[in-house]
Amino acid sequence: MTNAQRRAAASRMAEMNGSKPVPTSSSAFCPHEAGAYYLTDVGTVGNTINLFSKDLKPPVHTYDIITVNFDLDPETGRWIWFDGKKNQSPRKNQDGWRLGSKKLYDTREGAEAELQREMVKNGDRVTKVHDLPDDATALKKIRSAHHPDRNNADADHDLYQAVVEKLDRMRAASQ
């Protein structure tokens, strides 16, 4: 019986007993008790380059956090994650675990911090409704400062729209 088969048998016994997997002393990956891990995904949309175009536009970036829940492969005894195309197993390097070319984060906060670094690097600023303050007067100040009808060259239309959505949600919740 190989070490992988022993680990697989031990984890199957642990699953049958209803307990969490116990990390082995080897360097093999074993999920933490919280369960999920997180991957960051930064993609580009519409970045086709026309060499003869006069008005080149920078690519639009998309930022996403993928939740990863590992499953134990009974045949090999390794922890795998199916990404929609193939099964992937985490691998260890100097600064932690990786899945493919991406770093695995134990907490969502770590993944969000990485996305913020990527946004700064790409020169993007994404405002989500839940990132805005919960104070209605502060929201109204932001809304008026970025109102698109005031011929304000510095107006941020995405921020204005996010504030309007947040105020609408707060109004609906209070009724």
Side-chain angles (χ1 to χ4, degrees):
M1 185 180 254
T2 65
N3 284 339
Q5 291 169 330
R6 277 192 203 98
R7 280 194 301 272
S11 56
R12 273 196 295 267
M13 290 297 292
E15 283 177 10
M16 284 190 267
N17 294 336
S19 63
K20 291 275 183 193
V22 179
T24 58
S25 60
S26 71
S27 63
F29 177 80
C30 188
H32 57 70
E33 296 233 350
Y37 286 82
Y38 302 95
L39 285 177
T40 59
D41 185 43
V42 180
T44 53
V45 179
N47 61 346
T48 56
I49 297 172
N50 185 351
L51 295 176
F52 303 107
S53 176
K54 299 272 190 240
D55 52 342
L56 291 173
K57 295 178 186 151
V60 176
H61 296 95
T62 60
Y63 302 94
D64 194 22
I65 293 178
I66 302 163
T67 304
V68 178
N69 290 299
F70 287 100
D71 293 314
L72 190 63
D73 185 359
E75 294 169 9
T76 62
R78 295 179 71 186
W79 291 93
I80 56 167
W81 176 66
F82 184 63
D83 67 353
K85 299 181 202 104
K86 63 181 188 214
N87 287 331
Q88 293 188 24
S89 290
R91 61 183 175 78
K92 183 132 176 92
N93 67 354
Q94 303 93 318
D95 62 341
W97 292 94
R98 297 184 86 75
L99 201 58
S101 62
K102 296 183 168 77
K103 184 175 186 224
L104 268 180
Y105 291 93
D106 292 349
T107 62
R108 189 170 179 87
E109 290 78 26
E112 285 173 356
E114 176 59 30
L115 279 190
Q116 289 295 328
R117 281 191 292 277
E118 286 288 331
M119 284 180 207
V120 169
K121 185 177 90 174
N122 294 330
D124 291 338
R125 187 182 59 70
V126 175
T127 302
K128 296 182 183 155
V129 175
H130 64 263
D131 291 340
L132 294 168
D134 290 328
D135 182 24
T137 55
L139 287 171
K140 287 176 184 172
K141 283 182 187 173
I142 295 170
R143 182 183 64 185
S144 64
H146 295 282
H147 202 289
D149 296 338
R150 296 213 172 120
N151 295 328
N152 182 0
D154 297 328
D156 185 339
H157 300 292
D158 293 336
L159 179 59
Y160 173 79
Q161 193 59 44
V163 169
V164 170
E165 286 177 33
K166 177 98 178 205
L167 284 169
D168 288 345
R169 288 183 188 180
M170 288 171 67
R171 209 173 289 122
S174 66
Q175 292 174 350

